[in-house]
Amino acid sequence: MKKTHFIIAVVVLFISIYLIATKEIHEHADFAVYINGEKLNFSQDKYMHHETAEEEKSEKHGQQEDEKAHMHDNVGWIAHKHAADATWGIFFRNINITFNSACFVFEGSSYCSNETHNLRMFVNGREDFEFGGKKINDLDRVLITFDNSRNIDAQLNSVTDEACLYSRKCPERGEAGSEGCVTGGKQCT
Ligand SMILES: [Zn+2]
Ligand SMILES: [Zn+2]
């Protein structure tokens, strides 16, 4: 192989690796949280991700914790993921909620597993024990529940199935809405 050919091959290889590594991450998951049988309502403005013009211009834009996973457009049951290492712990921390294997701390109240109540997490219908450390995966359906009942079938069944609309993985079901933060759509980190 001629030296120039070798150099071209190396350059092409590095450009390909760079393009793969920097590919935009934009995925979605459905979730619901129940405390003592009551579904929490996250569809309020205070839980949404808003950025000021200054934040968007800042050098650190795109690298901050609050940009990794959050909600948009007052849709309180879809988590938007913008970073490969985004976890449910990061997602909830961004709205001032602590979520770990022991407790769910929400608006000043701690809901911690004890003799009568259990904090549990289900991912796609299966119990999961990673809690806040669990990575957010595209199209996952997540239930977090704090309850004294073992029967949480109704709660499991209530977890929505809309992330595929936002991730554009189910075109047969239509669109999540042109104004929404959808994969391949407007910039909404
Ligand atoms: Zn999104
Ligand atoms: Zn976003």
Side-chain angles (χ1 to χ4, degrees), residues 69-141:
H70 47 237
M71 287 174 275
H72 284 287
D73 308 314
N74 289 54
V75 177
W77 56 93
I78 296 287
H80 296 254
K81 168 186 168 182
H82 298 292
D85 60 350
T87 62
W88 288 100
I90 290 172
F91 172 79
F92 283 112
R93 201 184 312 139
N94 288 337
I95 47 172
N96 296 317
I97 291 170
T98 301
F99 174 51
N100 55 44
S101 60
C103 299
F104 191 87
V105 185
F106 172 69
E107 306 210 326
S109 299
S110 296
Y111 302 95
C112 302
S113 287
N114 56 34
E115 297 86 55
T116 56
H117 289 65
N118 283 306
L119 179 64
R120 302 168 81 191
M121 179 185 205
F122 293 83
V123 179
N124 302 322
R126 289 218 184 133
E127 187 146 20
D128 194 283
F129 300 93
E130 284 189 75
F131 296 90
K134 180 75 180 177
K135 285 238 172 84
I136 300 172
N137 293 309
D138 202 23
L139 314 189
D140 272 355
R141 296 172 67 208

Side-chain angles (χ1 to χ4, degrees), residues 125-160:
R126 289 218 184 133
E127 187 146 20
D128 194 283
F129 300 93
E130 284 189 75
F131 296 90
K134 180 75 180 177
K135 285 238 172 84
I136 300 172
N137 293 309
D138 202 23
L139 314 189
D140 272 355
R141 296 172 67 208
V142 169
L143 171 71
I144 293 158
T145 180
F146 179 80
D147 217 304
N148 62 356
S149 166
R150 300 299 296 176
N151 185 0
I152 41 99
D153 285 355
Q155 295 178 20
L156 279 171
N157 289 333
S158 82
V159 180
T160 47

Side-chain angles (χ1 to χ4, degrees), residues 26-30 71-81 138-139 160-171 173-185 188:
H26 188 180
E27 298 179 347
H28 305 89
D30 290 86
M71 287 174 275
H72 284 287
D73 308 314
N74 289 54
V75 177
W77 56 93
I78 296 287
H80 296 254
K81 168 186 168 182
D138 202 23
L139 314 189
T160 47
D161 179 19
E162 295 182 9
C164 75
L165 294 169
Y166 289 84
S167 289
R168 290 185 158 156
K169 295 270 174 75
C170 50
R173 284 174 54 188
E175 292 270 330
S178 55
E179 293 302 305
C181 172
V182 297
T183 302
C188 42

Side-chain angles (χ1 to χ4, degrees), residues 47-92:
Y47 297 123
M48 298 300 130
H49 181 63
H50 298 291
E51 277 195 332
T52 62
E54 290 84 65
E55 280 173 320
E56 263 182 56
K57 279 189 227 136
S58 126
E59 268 180 36
K60 287 195 177 130
H61 183 246
Q63 296 157 34
Q64 280 149 329
E65 287 275 289
D66 68 329
E67 293 169 343
K68 291 184 174 180
H70 47 237
M71 287 174 275
H72 284 287
D73 308 314
N74 289 54
V75 177
W77 56 93
I78 296 287
H80 296 254
K81 168 186 168 182
H82 298 292
D85 60 350
T87 62
W88 288 100
I90 290 172
F91 172 79
F92 283 112

